[in-house]
Each structure stands twice: as structure tokens, then as C-alpha cells.
Amino acid sequence: MPELQQPIVDLTDDTLFSGELICRQHRDGYRFSVDAVLAAHFAVPKPGQRVLDLGCGCGVIGLILAHRQPRVVVSSLEMQEDLAALAEENGRLNGFADRFQVIRGDVRAIARLLAPESFDLVICNPPYRKKDSGRINQGDQAALARHELSGEIVDFVRAAAFAVKNRGKVVFVYPARRSNTLLAALHEQRLTPKRLQPVYSYPCAESARLVLVEAVKNGGEQIEILAPLYIYERKNGDYAPTMQALYEEEQCWPK
């Protein structure tokens, strides 16, 4: 278990897997949510593979993958310096420094940052709120992470297609109501959806909240639509056992 040191006043140390994994976050800035945890577990990296996290924030997706699979090498791309520095710190705190790299840069300029087709797996929890959705503080860390101010979904999908090897996999988590936009962008870049997981807030909810999509570069046409996953046991209730397990166990994905 990593040694838990007292963070400075504007940071918090949050843990997963019964305290075995530390994720240090800004108290008032961007903080990871269930979206990132779901994406990290939906991905299935193999030993020795190279994994890229696009728009990594504090690095939680890469941290979970590095913890789950001790033989993967994770690179994380982040354009906000304070978040990139935090992701690097999180890698060191958890003893992953030798296989957890943070790259500063913009996904829209990925060709200047990385070699093409150099990753086996690319994962992305992209900004999904439109630029004109509500009031936005242009200099706000959370606004940049959640709103499409520094790139739209087509930019993140294009970056994933550039970075992933032929027949390699990409994983996206995205609002269910915007699934058409995501799926169209994936097909445009020859990333064929192969697994799709609808995620509902709770049983009997009228519509899905999120979709998790795994696509293969130049893959075949067949797709597997998985059974619904529920975040909460009921409306205004606690996490469903399956969701709680993703914070406490190192399993890949619920069966």
C-alpha cells in the first residue's frame, strides 16, 4: 500500500481498492467522477501493452490500469499544466513512475506529440458539454475539462485513431443522449464499435445516462450490446453492488 502523505491545503487524497491506490485531487478544481472509473474498468489491457489516456486530468484512468495490470505502460496526455503535474505526482505516489508518463499537449496537435499507431489501447473520457451550455469561466480548470473548449468529440476520436495501432482498441465513455455523435465520429475514423455498454443511473430509469464503447481500428461489423449496468441501487440510493465493486476490487468488468 502506498504511503499516504498529508496533501497541501487545496488538495485531497482519495483512495480506491481499500486504500491500495491513491488519487490526489484538487479540492475545488476538476475531480474525477464515475465516468472515469467505468472507462478504466471497461478497458481490457493485456500484459506488456502500451496504453494512452487522452485528456487524463489527475490521471485516475491510467492509475487504475497500472494498478490492475502491473505490466502495462501508460502514457497520459493533458493540456492543463496543473492537472498534468498532479497526474505525474499521482504516478510517483503509487510507485508507477517507471511506467506512467505524462505528456503535456493538445489532442488537436497529437501528430506533433506522438508517433502514429504507437499504442495498443487508447482510452478517453472527453469533455462532453457544448460550449454554449450554461455559463462558463474560460479560465476554470473544471470548465476546460468538462466543456468542449479545447476540442470536440471529433478531435478526440481523430487523436485516438492517430495513436492506436491497426486492429488496436479504443474505449470512450460519453453521454448516452449524444451516442449518435460519438458513433458517427468513430466510423468516420475507421474505428468500428465492437462492444457497447449502456449505463443507467438506477433500475427503471427512463433512459441511459452514459454509454461505454470499445471500438477496433479497421474492425469487422459485428457488435456486442451488453446488458444495462446500474450506478445506484435505486433513485437517491447507494451505489449498486456492481458499481461499488469497481472502487474496491481489481476486476476488469462485472460478469
Side-chain angles (χ1 to χ4, degrees), residues 65-78:
L65 292 174
H67 177 78
R68 264 181 44 204
Q69 177 48 264
R71 291 178 56 196
V72 300
V73 178
V74 177
S75 295
S76 300
L77 180 62
E78 176 56 50

Side-chain angles (χ1 to χ4, degrees), residues 16-34:
L16 297 92
F17 310 129
S18 301
E20 293 185 7
L21 185 70
I22 299 170
C23 186
R24 184 164 287 180
Q25 305 186 79
H26 291 105
R27 187 182 303 276
D28 299 319
Y30 173 72
R31 296 175 65 82
F32 78 83
S33 64
V34 295

Side-chain angles (χ1 to χ4, degrees), residues 53-71:
D53 178 11
L54 288 175
C56 72
C58 63
V60 66
I61 289 178
L63 295 173
I64 292 173
L65 292 174
H67 177 78
R68 264 181 44 204
Q69 177 48 264
R71 291 178 56 196

Side-chain angles (χ1 to χ4, degrees), residues 143-156:
L144 285 169
R146 295 191 178 109
H147 289 76
E148 295 177 331
L149 302 174
S150 58
E152 300 180 357
I153 186 61
V154 293
D155 299 307
F156 284 87

Side-chain angles (χ1 to χ4, degrees), residues 42 170-172 182-183 186 193 195-197 211-215:
F42 192 64
V170 303
V171 167
F172 276 81
L182 171 61
L183 296 175
L186 289 169
R195 285 195 302 149
L196 190 150
Q197 172 80 71
V211 290
L212 290 152
V213 179
E214 179 188 79

Side-chain angles (χ1 to χ4, degrees), residues 5-21:
Q5 300 175 343
Q6 186 65 30
I8 61 175
V9 67
D10 64 338
L11 298 176
T12 65
D13 279 342
D14 301 286
T15 62
L16 297 92
F17 310 129
S18 301
E20 293 185 7
L21 185 70

